[in-house]
């Protein structure tokens, strides 16, 4: 029931009246990853600070069943950097993905208890990958490219009574074709720099959730997010061959609770479990995925015209032993 519904379930914006603007950022201060080879050698990644800003605007005219929204957010992203002398350098030791979605939405309240929404997504992305080139110690292959594609998202919100809300949202699959340049250092007999391209399939996503408010002071939520990562079979970079990926579909299982306090204050807590999407056969340290547990706690204040909230998120996962490679 705030403008970030643009991302989670756009049908939720019909709960807002008038003009609503939300600015925010999710910042990963440290992402720790560690690799231990079969011989016992240990390698750690370089720590990075990753800000992920977002903007959401909603306008719901008075005495109208329509609501209009505009969201700018990052549904995907990545940054991982390992030492250039890592034993797995030929698979890739540095990578980054910037992905920004611009999402206008129209929502309509069909009935006092039922709302629908749909809107296009304009997706702008940049990708960079560095790996060993296989010629000499210390050599490298770097690809950097930009891509644009369009898709759509849609949502449904059903509120049969004030205590219960049921939501369903869908985000379409997209295929981004990245055009850019590749560099090889030191340059082999072939040119050290040349035009190149790559194509990446991003998944369709389905989210289903329920919210229960036993009293106006409590909100308890649960939802399941399914992402069809099986669409990401490989990464083919022109002039550098194909990297098999073979990812698998996976789910997030999420639970959260919010308690309203006096004078506009509230506190929240949540937990979700993220399933591993990367099978052992295609494991790559650039995307060191695994089963992850995520816990959050937050506090906020809602005023007559201005509101704010801040939360701390801790992500953890055990060792992922990769055998079948």
């Amino acid at each position: 029931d705030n403008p970030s519904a643009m991302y989670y379930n756009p049908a939720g914006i019909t709960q807002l009246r008038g003009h609503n603007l939300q600015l925010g950022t999710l910042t990963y201060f440290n992402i720790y990853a560690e690799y231990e080879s079969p011989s016992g050698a240990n390698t750690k990644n370089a720590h990075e600070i990753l800000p992920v800003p977002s903007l959401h605007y909603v306008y719901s005219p008075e005495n109208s069943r329509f609501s209009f929204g505009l969201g700018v957010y990052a549904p995907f992203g990545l940054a991982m950097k390992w030492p250039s002398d890592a034993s797995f350098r030929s698979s890739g030791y540095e990578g980054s993905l910037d992905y920004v979605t611009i999402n206008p939405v129209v929502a309509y309240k069909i009935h006092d208890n039922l709302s629908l929404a749909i809107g296009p997504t304009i997706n702008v992305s940049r990708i960079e990958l560095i790996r060993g080139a296989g010629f000499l110690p210390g050599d490298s292959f770097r690809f950097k490219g930009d891509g644009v594609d369009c898709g759509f998202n849609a949502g449904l919100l059903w509120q049969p009574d004030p205590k219960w809300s049921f939501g369903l949202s869908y985000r379409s699959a997209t295929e981004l074709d990245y055009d850019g340049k590749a560099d090889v250092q030191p340059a082999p007999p072939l040119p050290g720099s040349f035009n190149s391209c790559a194509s990446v399939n991003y998944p369709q996503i389905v989210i289903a959730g329920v919210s229960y408010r036993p009293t106006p002071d409590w909100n308890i939520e649960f939802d399941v997010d399914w992402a069809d990562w099986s669409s990401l079979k490989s990464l083919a970079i022109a002039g550098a061959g194909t990297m098999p990926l073979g990812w698998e579909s996976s789910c997030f299982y999420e639970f959260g609770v919010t308690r309203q306090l006096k004078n506009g204050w509230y506190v929240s807590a949540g937990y979700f479990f993220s399933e591993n999407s990367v099978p052992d056969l295609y494991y790559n340290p650039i995307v060191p995925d695994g089963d992850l547990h995520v816990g959050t706690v937050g506090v906020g204040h809602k005023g007559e015209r201005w509101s704010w909230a801040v939360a701390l998120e801790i992500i953890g996962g055990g060792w992922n032993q990769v055998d079948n490679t």
Side-chain angles (χ1 to χ4, degrees):
D1 56 359
N2 66 62
S4 68
M6 289 288 304
Y7 173 78
Y8 295 102
N9 181 359
I13 67 175
T14 59
Q15 300 174 97
L16 304 172
R17 307 314 305 168
H19 296 274
N20 298 265
L21 178 67
Q22 184 183 64
L23 301 173
T25 184
L26 173 66
T27 302
Y28 292 97
F29 285 103
N30 275 314
I31 296 179
Y32 298 98
E34 189 173 346
Y35 168 76
E36 184 177 297
S37 71
S39 66
N42 191 278
T43 305
K44 296 183 180 180
N45 73 316
H47 298 162
E48 304 223 14
I49 297 177
L50 308 175
V52 186
S54 63
L55 179 150
H56 302 93
Y57 169 72
V58 173
Y59 173 54
S60 297
E62 294 296 332
N63 303 317
S64 173
R65 290 187 174 272
F66 282 97
S67 296
F68 307 92
L70 177 65
V72 181
Y73 49 80
F76 307 108
L78 168 71
M80 183 62 64
K81 184 176 181 180
W82 297 91
S84 60
D85 60 353
S87 60
F88 46 79
R89 62 189 307 274
S90 61
S91 300
Y93 58 85
E94 186 172 344
S96 65
L97 170 70
D98 298 317
Y99 190 112
V100 176
T101 292
I102 303 168
N103 180 200
V105 161
V106 176
Y108 182 67
K109 184 174 281 192
I110 299 175
H111 185 271
D112 289 344
N113 299 333
L114 183 64
S115 298
L116 299 175
I118 192 169
T121 60
I122 301 140
N123 309 294
V124 182
S125 181
R126 170 169 290 182
I127 192 171
E128 183 174 11
L129 173 67
I130 305 175
R131 69 185 191 189
F135 299 104
L136 296 168
D139 59 17
S140 67
F141 170 85
R142 178 195 300 261
F143 170 75
K144 190 173 185 178
D146 299 288
V148 179
D149 192 23
C150 295
F152 73 93
N153 71 334
L156 178 148
L157 176 65
W158 179 44
Q159 298 174 296
D161 67 55
K163 292 185 177 182
W164 290 95
S165 297
F166 300 89
L168 183 68
S169 67
Y170 176 79
R171 186 177 304 277
S172 70
T174 56
E175 181 179 359
L176 268 80
D177 296 318
Y178 293 91
D179 294 316
K181 284 191 173 292
D183 297 283
V184 181
Q185 298 295 333
L190 299 175
S193 179
F194 53 92
N195 293 330
S196 184
C197 61
S199 180
V200 178
N201 293 310
Y202 292 91
Q204 60 178 335
I205 297 174
V206 180
I207 304 174
V210 57
S211 165
Y212 175 58
R213 299 177 185 265
T215 75
D217 291 336
W218 287 93
N219 184 23
I220 303 168
E221 303 178 41
F222 174 77
D223 70 72
V224 178
D225 301 16
W226 174 79
D228 186 20
W229 283 112
S230 63
S231 62
L232 189 55
K233 296 298 185 183
S234 62
L235 174 62
I237 302 176
T242 299
M243 179 188 300
L245 297 175
W247 285 25
E248 299 173 344
S249 299
S250 61
C251 290
F252 285 2
Y253 302 93
E254 302 165 303
F255 172 81
V257 59
T258 297
R259 172 71 161 93
Q260 302 291 334
L261 305 174
K262 294 181 179 179
N263 302 318
W265 290 90
Y266 62 89
V267 292
S268 298
Y271 164 82
F272 74 81
F273 173 71
S274 170
E275 290 183 330
N276 182 20
S277 300
V278 182
D280 285 0
L281 183 61
Y282 301 108
Y283 191 83
N284 190 308
I286 290 296
V287 189
D289 197 16
D291 291 337
L292 298 176
H293 302 272
V294 183
T296 62
V297 291
V299 62
H301 182 268
K302 187 172 184 178
E304 184 176 348
R305 298 181 62 88
W306 293 90
S307 302
W308 61 267
V310 62
L312 173 67
E313 180 177 80
I314 299 177
I315 306 171
W319 282 95
N320 187 6
Q321 184 168 327
V322 180
D323 295 319
N324 187 25
T325 57

